[in-house]
């Protein structure tokens, strides 16, 4: 069987390659995971994806789908060779159907582009991954990504109404419909969301959209320690205010930010919470007052953004965290491992303490920030990437972070996915539910061609 | 094999029966579907459910789970005999964990009881089925029920964090965890929600809860015809107001209500929309003003409830619709068929027109009301149940309603479930996605013991 010849037949001579340089470019995503495919295919439509899969299935060739390669767990890396299916070229916004509160897109559409287009109509697609400017919607759906706004708006899973999926054998199904609500059989849509390309390939998605809120503000609250911050967050939610974002920065994160840019005016504190509130003009003011009143007994300082400018300033500081970490030490690089744990909300303060103790134990500075409103914490660890001893300590620290999160009833991935980087924790976290996942995987992909080596399957 | 002897061993002598009188009571739910089991078992804990399933699986005995029997599609009816597993006795609220925004319950807890208990803490579980006072949470989850508030709060699926499930072979899994957000493998939780007892038996559920809104109001808007009403709803959503309920009553429904109780002060109109708005005190006022302004150009009349009393009055009228229908004619009984279609929002006016033309075609008065905000319409048809000709016309009318909904891109069940009453439409509505459902069913229940004859599987 001449694989590349067959692929050229399907997609055309310029859309399938075995060039070593190309293959090298496709041998990693944004994680440390590496794996080189035998060839890369850039299909232009569902029919081509279907033909590629039918052929691959007949010949037991692994197929790994890829969007923008921004994944942090190796999900788009071809661990067992075979074909990388680069879907970034299928990037049309097919339909903007405001009256039905939905859009139809191809998988390669960049997240921020969709929201730019929707913004002109006064609408938005709520999930907001940090990689918005780069990541594709297909990748976001395959990983059930979310971001800062999930505390109020939920994850990507909540916004997918229908997926066109090419199954392992090349058949094409639609998992849902254009209706907003259905109780007609199994929810294949949500089974596919988060399945990381192991059950089928997303070739089209119908997404629910919402009207843009009229107003937004930010409340910045400082606390002497994370326990007080955690209590303030729980009390705020209980008071009936669901912020559109609820972010925590630990002391180290604020220090890093202030070192990165001295103009960033976040006060030094044991823990800082940023509440973003959205809604109508008056409801935003009202919510801000409630947040202030609820946090007052716990906080060492509270500031409500006076206007749009101040709000943008505070918020851009939050967005800078990722970049600021990399400046801690010019000889060190941030490595994304153990970076996406989730725990039940009330365990957040305990988890933060554990992380600090792990930091001490392994002699690694760790900063922690994240979406406290839904218990999702991101850690930032930097090492000299040429130092094997530091790698070892990093891996040990990450392992302990993962096991601690599971021990607290949490997860090793709240939004970045399992890929292969975290697959070894699947049994520990999911117990014998993993056996049920394996049964489903075997039923839908009996020859095991779809993204092998992932999710602990 | 002496089935009842074995069951007595597992659950005790007084919790399993083959008494014909008992079996008769368990031979139907709230639909027209009938099927008599060989025995009824009322387990008290997960261990007993597991033992029953292991035994049934070994001996190829069908097992049909049942909560309160309020289902409208035969989902809890034992079509192929075997065991009915009555879970209504497992009715403990196991944990109210306010700080984690969640509760843990057994499947037999009555929906309204949970909300009574949560209300004292200032919280609520948002799905609000019409059968709240009777239905169990297990049944609600198995059918992905919802109700009037799903336009803002989503369906039951959005609130299930974790399910303890007894699989067909008796093994017990947990599908999720106590974290609010996870991207760790397949979403088995949402696969189980809505699977109507065909993939496993729910023995415990962890549910997300929300703080009760501080305030509510109702806006009643009258329109000359459903097209204008539909436009007003779309414009309202686009204006950034997501009502906590958005209900439509057609002309016939308002007539029925006014005939039932002349004190009900809903003006006669081509279509009436009830908007319920919730939030903080000021945001509710603000939203009401926006709704009023947006609807004004389309409406023949608008009324904002002046206070709590007026709001209750209007809302109780909506809740009376089901009862009022049964009074249309003392010789007729409401039959629940074709009663739960869903269509894309913008197709609601067209669907309403189709229903009126079907009503004429088959000589059956049909009233229509429902959750226009998410495209879910309920029809009410009454016949003389002893008249075979009327039954025939009813079935023909319902069939046409179902096919029309599918033709408009909709569903034959938005919230009541498929059961066996609607299973013949699964292929038409879901296409070859049904084949994928069948593969999953066979993988998880290879001997086919779980609720056979349902969902078109």
């Amino acid at each position: 069987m001449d694989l590349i010849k067959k692929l050229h037949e399907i997609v055309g001579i310029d859309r399938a390659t075995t060039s070593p340089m190309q293959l090298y470019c496709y041998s990693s995503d944004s994680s440390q995971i590496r794996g080189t495919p035998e060839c890369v295919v850039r299909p232009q439509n569902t029919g081509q994806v279907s033909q590629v899969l039918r052929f691959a299935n007949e010949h037991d060739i692994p197929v790994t789908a890829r969007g923008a390669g921004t994944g942090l767990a190796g999900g788009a890396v071809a661990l067992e060779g075979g074909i990388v299916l680069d879907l970034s070229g299928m990037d049309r916004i097919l339909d903007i159907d405001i009256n039905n509160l939905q859009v139809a897109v191809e998988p390669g559409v960049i997240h921020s582009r969709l929201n730019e287009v929707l913004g002109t109509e006064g609408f938005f697609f709520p999930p907001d991954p940090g990689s918005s400017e780069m990541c594709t919607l297909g990748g976001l759906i395959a990983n059930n990504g979310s971001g800062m706004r999930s505390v109020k708006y939920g994850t990507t899973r909540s916004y997918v109404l229908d997926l066109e999926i090419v199954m392992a054998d090349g058949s094409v199904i639609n998992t849902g419909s254009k209706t907003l609500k259905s109780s007609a059989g199994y929810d294949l849509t949500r089974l596919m969301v988060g399945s990381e390309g192991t059950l089928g390939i997303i070739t089209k998605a119908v997404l629910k959209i919402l009207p843009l809120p009229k107003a937004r503000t930010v409340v910045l609250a400082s606390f002497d320690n994370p326990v007080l911050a955690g209590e303030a967050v729980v009390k705020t939610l209980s008071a009936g205010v669901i912020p559109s974002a609820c972010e925590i920065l630990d002391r180290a994160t604020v220090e890093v930010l202030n070192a990165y840019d001295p103009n960033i005016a976040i006060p030094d504190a044991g823990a800082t919470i940023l509440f973003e509130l959205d809604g109508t003009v008056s409801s935003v003011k009202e919510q801000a007052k409630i947040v202030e009143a609820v946090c007052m007994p716990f906080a060492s300082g509270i500031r409500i953004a006076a206007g749009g400018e101040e709000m943008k300033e505070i918020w851009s500081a939050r967005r800078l965290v990722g970049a600021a970490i990399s400046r801690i030490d010019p000889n060190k690089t941030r490595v994304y491992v153990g970076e996406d744990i989730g725990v039940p909300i009330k365990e957040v303060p305990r988890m933060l303490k554990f992380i600090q103790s792990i930091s001490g134990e392994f002699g690694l500075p760790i900063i922690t920030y994240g979406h406290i409103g839904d218990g999702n914490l991101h850690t930032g660890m930097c090492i000299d990437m040429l130092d094997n001893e530091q790698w070892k300590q990093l891996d040990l620290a990450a392992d302990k972070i993962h096991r601690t999160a599971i021990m607290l009833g949490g997860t090793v991935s709240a939004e970045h996915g399992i890929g292969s980087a975290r697959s070894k924790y699947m049994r520990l976290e999911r117990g014998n539910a993993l056996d049920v996942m394996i049964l489903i995987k075997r039923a839908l992909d009996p020859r095991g061609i779809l993204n092998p080596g992932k999710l602990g399957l």
Side-chain angles (χ1 to χ4, degrees), chain A:
Chain A
M1 165 210 62
D2 189 342
L3 174 57
I4 189 67
K5 195 174 152 211
K6 178 69 187 176
L7 293 172
H8 281 156
E9 271 174 42
I10 297 172
V11 295
I13 195 88
D14 54 344
R15 302 195 77 86
T17 180
T18 56
S19 139
M21 201 171 69
Q22 287 282 328
L23 299 185
Y24 178 76
C25 292
Y26 281 91
S27 69
S28 65
D29 57 3
S30 302
S31 72
Q32 315 308 313
I33 309 296
R34 296 286 177 276
T36 308
E38 288 161 59
C39 51
V40 172
V41 182
R42 293 181 291 116
Q44 291 182 287
N45 54 56
T46 305
Q48 291 178 351
V49 175
S50 169
Q51 285 182 68
V52 171
L53 261 70
R54 197 180 318 137
F55 180 77
N57 198 47
E58 277 163 11
H59 296 86
D60 293 314
I61 302 165
V63 177
T64 301
R66 181 186 177 97
T70 56
L72 292 165
V77 177
L79 288 185
E80 303 186 7
I83 298 166
V84 160
L85 207 55
D86 174 359
L87 295 150
S88 61
M90 288 175 64
D91 63 350
R92 289 178 302 161
I93 297 176
L94 301 166
D95 186 27
I96 298 185
D97 190 356
I98 296 291
N99 286 351
N100 276 323
L101 301 175
Q102 57 197 244
V103 292
V105 296
E106 287 187 330
V109 173
I110 302 295
H111 177 272
S112 64
R113 195 178 130 229
L114 176 64
N115 270 335
E116 273 163 33
V117 173
L118 288 176
T120 64
E121 307 267 357
F123 279 76
F124 76 125
F125 171 63
D128 63 329
S131 53
S132 169
E133 305 284 334
M134 294 173 284
C135 75
T136 63
L137 291 168
L140 186 73
I141 294 165
N143 285 284
N144 189 32
S146 44
M148 291 199 276
R149 301 226 163 92
S150 59
V151 56
K152 176 166 181 174
Y153 291 102
T155 65
T156 295
R157 192 166 267 139
S158 307
Y159 293 89
V160 185
L161 296 173
D162 183 24
L163 292 172
E164 180 183 85
I165 298 275
V166 181
M167 304 298 292
D169 64 0
S171 62
V172 181
I173 67 164
N174 276 84
T175 59
S177 74
K178 283 170 83 76
T179 48
L180 295 179
K181 200 167 103 175
S182 172
S183 279
Y186 303 157
D187 190 346
L188 300 180
T189 305
R190 286 171 185 83
L191 178 65
M192 291 294 170
V193 177
S195 64
E196 302 192 28
T198 63
L199 294 179
I201 308 292
I202 301 163
T203 47
K204 187 178 150 185
V206 177
L207 306 172
K208 187 177 167 182
I209 57 175
L210 290 180
L212 273 168
K214 301 281 176 249
R216 278 207 177 107
T217 194
V218 170
V219 180
L220 186 157
S222 307
F223 301 88
D224 288 340
N225 60 61
V227 175
L228 289 169
E231 283 215 36
V233 168
V234 169
K235 296 275 187 237
T236 300
L237 297 172
S238 306
V241 175
I242 306 289
S244 51
C246 183
E247 298 288 302
I248 187 166
L249 312 176
D250 72 356
R251 185 187 294 277
T253 304
V254 172
E255 280 167 10
V256 161
L257 274 175
N258 288 332
Y260 178 77
D261 179 356
N263 293 321
I264 291 173
I266 298 186
D268 183 46
T272 303
I273 304 281
L274 302 177
F275 296 94
E276 187 196 62
L277 307 161
D278 72 4
T280 60
V281 176
S282 79
S283 79
V284 161
K285 280 185 195 158
E286 196 172 17
Q287 290 177 76
K289 277 185 201 151
I290 297 173
V291 172
E292 190 181 26
V294 169
C295 290
M296 197 67 89
F298 305 94
S300 57
I302 299 180
R303 198 166 99 213
I304 301 179
E309 276 313 303
E310 191 179 354
M311 186 179 83
K312 268 188 204 154
E313 242 168 58
I314 299 174
W315 215 247
S316 67
R318 164 63 185 87
R319 293 211 183 267
L320 275 174
V321 173
I325 298 171
S326 62
R327 301 281 186 90
I328 294 182
D329 182 334
N331 298 313
K332 291 185 175 174
T333 306
R334 181 177 183 189
V335 182
Y336 284 90
V337 293
E339 89 292 349
D340 187 40
I341 52 165
V343 292
I345 307 176
K346 73 175 175 191
E347 302 291 359
V348 168
R350 261 178 94 193
M351 189 67 218
L352 288 169
K353 275 193 196 170
F354 273 119
I355 292 173
Q356 281 321 305
S357 110
I358 292 167
S359 168
E361 184 180 347
F362 295 95
L364 272 174
I366 306 180
I367 75 161
T368 310
Y369 59 100
H371 320 313
I372 187 172
D374 49 34
N376 181 194
L377 293 175
H378 297 312
T379 59
M381 299 192 272
C382 295
I383 58 164
D384 175 351
M385 292 189 64
L386 300 175
D387 184 335
N388 283 336
E389 185 53 34
Q390 287 190 33
W391 266 112
K392 205 176 136 192
Q393 294 303 310
L394 179 95
D395 283 337
L396 290 170
D399 183 62
K400 199 147 185 181
I401 288 171
H402 283 145
R403 290 177 194 279
T404 306
I406 294 172
M407 187 259 293
L408 293 175
T411 177
V412 297
S413 179
E415 60 180 12
H416 294 170
I418 294 296
S420 66
R422 288 180 266 266
S423 60
K424 67 174 170 179
Y425 301 104
M426 281 293 282
R427 177 62 67 183
L428 186 63
E429 180 179 331
R430 307 296 305 259
N432 60 351
L434 182 57
D435 299 324
V436 175
M437 294 183 205
I438 291 169
L439 289 173
I440 293 171
K441 166 71 175 175
R442 285 190 192 147
L444 303 196
D445 176 21
R447 303 177 78 108
I449 63 160
L450 291 171
N451 210 2
K454 308 296 167 67
L455 302 188
L457 295 166

